[in-house]
Amino acid sequence: MSGEVVLVVLIIVGLIGRSPIISTAACVLLIVKLIHLQRFLPTIERRGLELGLLFLTFSVLVPFASERITTKDMLSVVTSWPGILALTGGAIATYVNGKGLEMLRLDPQLIVGLVVGSIFGIVFLRGIPVGPLMAAGITAILFKLFSLIAERF
């Protein structure tokens, strides 16, 4: 199946699954291919994740820049159970994301399974895509668990 057909299928799946991010990404990549700018695809692949993480970080830091988060709010993070659990969850999530990045660097072909799995989760489980790093991180954990179980048998 050609790349263009796959992108059109992803656009349709994104529309059916109400995932504007998948539809938009597939549309942009289809346009890049159709106007013969394929030479930029390796750059998009190499730097796209970094750019996405940059914009995600922007969105997370805006409340600090706009002063919607106060010093009192920051103190409540370390003095309340929900705050401490949020700190712990954030630390664990970044650790798992790091493991996912390691896994993607070692075996980049896994991205196919992550994308198909994410699309499945969006369309059939009504999930929200959180990105390839978290999916790869969960995959890394599942891989480790599977390896430990397989060693026992």
Side-chain angles (χ1 to χ4, degrees), residues 73-85:
D73 296 326
M74 287 186 271
L75 287 174
S76 73
V77 166
V78 293
T79 59
S80 70
W81 279 111
I84 292 168
L85 292 174

Side-chain angles (χ1 to χ4, degrees), residues 14-82:
L15 292 171
I16 292 169
R18 296 186 189 139
S19 176
I21 292 175
I22 287 179
S23 296
T24 303
C27 281
V28 169
L29 292 173
L30 183 61
I31 291 167
V32 167
K33 283 190 64 95
L34 292 177
I35 60 175
H36 305 292
L37 294 175
Q38 291 96 325
R39 67 182 178 274
F40 293 110
L41 290 176
T43 303
I44 293 169
E45 182 179 13
R46 192 171 50 254
R47 297 293 186 201
L49 187 59
E50 292 171 6
L51 191 58
L53 290 173
L54 176 66
F55 279 99
L56 181 61
T57 303
F58 282 159
S59 69
V60 170
L61 295 180
V62 164
F64 292 101
S66 65
E67 298 178 5
R68 286 185 303 196
I69 293 180
T70 64
T71 306
K72 179 182 172 193
D73 296 326
M74 287 186 271
L75 287 174
S76 73
V77 166
V78 293
T79 59
S80 70
W81 279 111

